[in-house]
């Protein structure tokens, strides 16, 4: 008999339009491996609520993120594509974790500290964010979680929360492992900081030709040296080192030309996916999410039944 497939889960926040950092850091690794696993791909809309307070934008973003998932090539028949808020088990398990971990432990989370340092409101949802993520992952007995480098600590927090639960009650929940592609690392934004939806420094994954060109032209270039490091670091996601070696040699010092080449390469990479995306309707998205919610609940309900028994509320 063949071994059952291991389970894989990842999610992206629906806090804005996806950028190429999301693609190379999270979606591409997911696409490369999801069929070898029993996979789930989530829209983390309750996580987005920590930073978003506009109901129309919230609704629109969910639809857009699902369209993005389908357009990059995710087949919803070969995995479960679902929305976090469609399954209330996430909220419930997050609460259980919140009652196990301490405030000082959560205060050490880099992503929380970074966001607060940037002046983002320290709402309690933002503070307990890692425990909702721990719930997302562990409700499904997840083995592996492909994410970008910035999420490493959230996986450590998940394992810590699981350990606390299992020691306090019973060995019910599984400790997941992250999968982080070293080659990608953190994709820099056009200002040199981590590309992030909230930072306004992204190259949109499904931008128009013009939007992509405008973003590329705004990439900060260092004034000394032959090679604009930032332009190169984004370019290397699309072309091999050998190919780039020639392009950057032939155009040494001509930053404007190098940016034009990068914009053209991005356009050839994005255009076919954009075509596919234009064919996907809101009704297609609704259908995918309805099916995904039912399949997701079927798995998580079993976990929650055990959790409720273990903590003494059932
Ligand atoms: P953002 O930081 O833009 O709001 P999310 O927090 O929703 O994006 O991240 C979704 C996924 O994309 C995560 O796995 C995250 O690690 C990955 N990711 C986000 N930004 C980058 C980046 N600049 N480089 C690599 N991966 C990234
Ligand atoms: N916190 C993740 C991010 O910002 C998004 C996310 C929410 C996630 N739940 C998850 C990622 C579960 C992996 C698994 O990128």
């Amino acid at each position: 008999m063949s071994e059952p497939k291991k389970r894989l889960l990842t999610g992206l926040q629906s806090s804005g339009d996806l950028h190429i950092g999301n693609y190379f850091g999270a979606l591409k690794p997911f696409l490369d491996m999801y069929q070898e696993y029993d996979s789930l791909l989530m829209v983390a809309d309750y996580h987005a609520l920590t930073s978003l307070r506009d109901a129309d934008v919230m609704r629109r973003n969910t639809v857009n993120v699902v369209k993005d998932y389908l357009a990059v090539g995710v087949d919803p028949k070969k995995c479960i594509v679902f929305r976090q808020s469609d399954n209330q088990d996430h909220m419930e398990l997050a609460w259980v974790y919140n009652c196990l971990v301490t405030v000082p432990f959560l205060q050490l989370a880099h992503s929380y500290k970074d966001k607060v340092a940037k002046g983002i409101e320290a709402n309690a949802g933002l503070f307990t964010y890692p425990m909702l993520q721990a719930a997302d992952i562990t409700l499904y007995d997840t083995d592996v979680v492909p994410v970008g480098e910035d999420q490493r600590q959230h996986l450590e927090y998940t394992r810590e929360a699981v350990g606390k639960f299992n020691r306090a009650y019973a060995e019910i929940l599984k400790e997941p492992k992250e999968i982080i592609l070293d080659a990608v690392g953190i994709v820099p934004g056009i200002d040199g900081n981590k590309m992030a939806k909230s930072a306004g420094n992204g190259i949109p994954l499904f931008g128009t030709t013009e939007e992509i060109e405008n973003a590329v032209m705004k990439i900060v270039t260092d004034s000394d040296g032959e090679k604009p490091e930032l332009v190169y670091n984004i370019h290397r996601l699309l072309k091999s080192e050998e190919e780039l070696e020639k392009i950057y040699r032939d155009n040494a010092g001509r930053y404007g030309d190098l940016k034009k080449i990068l914009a053209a390469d991005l356009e050839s990479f994005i255009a076919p996916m954009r075509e596919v995306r234009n064919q996907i309707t809101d009704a297609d998205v609704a259908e995918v999410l309805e099916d995904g919610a039912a399949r997701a609940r079927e798995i998580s309900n079993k976990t929650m039944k055990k959790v409720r028994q273990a903590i003494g509320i059932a």
Side-chain angles (χ1 to χ4, degrees):
M1 242 182 44
S2 63
E3 290 270 309
K5 281 184 178 174
K6 289 198 167 183
R7 184 154 290 143
L8 178 154
L9 177 142
T10 197
L12 283 82
Q13 294 190 66
S14 48
S15 48
D17 291 334
L18 299 192
H19 51 71
I20 62 165
N22 296 134
Y23 180 82
F24 289 101
L27 283 177
K28 173 84 171 37
F30 179 86
L31 277 170
D32 288 344
M33 65 182 117
Y34 83 106
Q35 296 194 42
E36 289 161 41
Y37 292 84
D38 189 1
S39 297
L40 294 102
L41 181 59
M42 185 182 76
V43 181
D45 58 345
Y46 269 144
H47 275 120
L49 191 63
T50 61
S51 64
L52 186 62
R53 244 165 240 168
D54 182 320
D56 291 331
V57 176
M58 181 65 110
R59 269 184 217 104
R60 203 62 243 153
N61 282 0
T62 299
V63 174
N64 282 340
V65 171
V66 176
K67 285 187 179 174
D68 292 351
Y69 287 171
L70 304 180
V72 299
V74 174
D75 181 347
K77 296 210 168 52
K78 296 189 174 142
C79 64
I80 299 177
V81 175
F82 75 106
R83 172 169 70 160
Q84 188 180 35
S85 63
D86 279 333
N87 185 355
Q88 292 308 309
D89 288 343
H90 292 249
M91 285 297 121
E92 190 174 351
L93 186 56
W95 179 256
V96 175
Y97 283 136
N98 279 333
C99 295
L100 284 164
V101 297
T102 65
V103 168
F105 170 70
L106 291 175
Q107 272 169 335
L108 295 175
H110 304 312
S111 78
Y112 174 72
K113 286 195 292 190
D114 292 350
K115 284 179 181 160
V116 174
K118 277 190 211 140
I120 295 172
E121 177 192 75
N123 63 59
L126 190 64
F127 187 59
T128 62
Y129 180 116
M131 293 303 104
L132 178 56
Q133 184 160 349
D136 300 337
I137 296 168
T138 55
L139 276 172
Y140 303 95
D141 286 332
T142 302
D143 297 287
V144 294
V145 183
V147 278
E149 177 62 41
D150 60 311
Q151 295 297 309
R152 189 183 291 281
Q153 198 193 33
H154 283 154
L155 269 291
E156 284 162 14
Y157 269 53
T158 299
R159 287 191 288 272
E160 186 70 25
V162 168
K164 285 211 162 178
F165 180 96
N166 288 346
R167 283 192 298 280
Y169 298 109
E171 284 282 332
I172 289 174
L173 300 169
K174 192 184 264 182
E175 285 191 15
K177 283 201 172 56
E178 62 276 18
I179 297 185
I180 295 172
L181 296 187
D182 288 339
V184 176
I186 293 179
V187 177
I190 58 175
D191 59 357
N193 297 316
K194 172 191 174 284
M195 190 178 287
K197 293 190 207 88
S198 55
N201 64 354
I203 298 178
L205 180 56
F206 287 105
T208 60
T209 314
E210 207 185 355
E211 282 164 347
I212 292 169
E213 241 172 53
N214 286 343
V216 169
M217 289 305 164
K218 281 195 210 126
I219 298 177
V220 174
T221 44
D222 33 40
S223 50
D224 41 63
E226 292 281 276
K227 189 166 85 181
E229 290 297 330
L230 262 184
V231 178
Y232 182 87
N233 280 337
I234 296 172
H235 220 155
R236 77 184 178 86
L237 300 165
L238 302 164
K239 283 208 148 103
S240 70
E241 248 178 67
E242 296 80 59
E243 287 171 296
L244 291 182
E245 161 51 59
K246 178 163 168 31
I247 296 172
Y248 281 73
R249 193 169 2 97
D250 292 350
N251 294 281
R254 301 213 300 267
Y255 294 178
D257 290 342
L258 286 167
K259 283 181 175 177
K260 280 190 194 133
I261 300 171
L262 171 61
D265 286 340
L266 277 164
E267 176 63 19
S268 349
F269 159 70
I270 290 171
M273 298 194 294
R274 202 192 283 131
E275 286 277 293
V276 175
R277 197 180 185 285
N278 286 340
Q279 307 301 315
I280 304 169
T281 63
D282 290 7
D284 295 332
V285 170
E287 198 181 312
V288 166
L289 288 182
E290 197 184 328
D291 176 60
R295 288 157 71 204
R297 281 190 218 113
E298 202 179 311
I299 305 170
S300 69
N301 286 351
K302 292 193 186 115
T303 309
M304 279 318 291
K305 210 168 162 189
K306 288 189 254 175
V307 167
R308 287 192 201 107
Q309 278 281 344
I311 65 177
I313 60 167

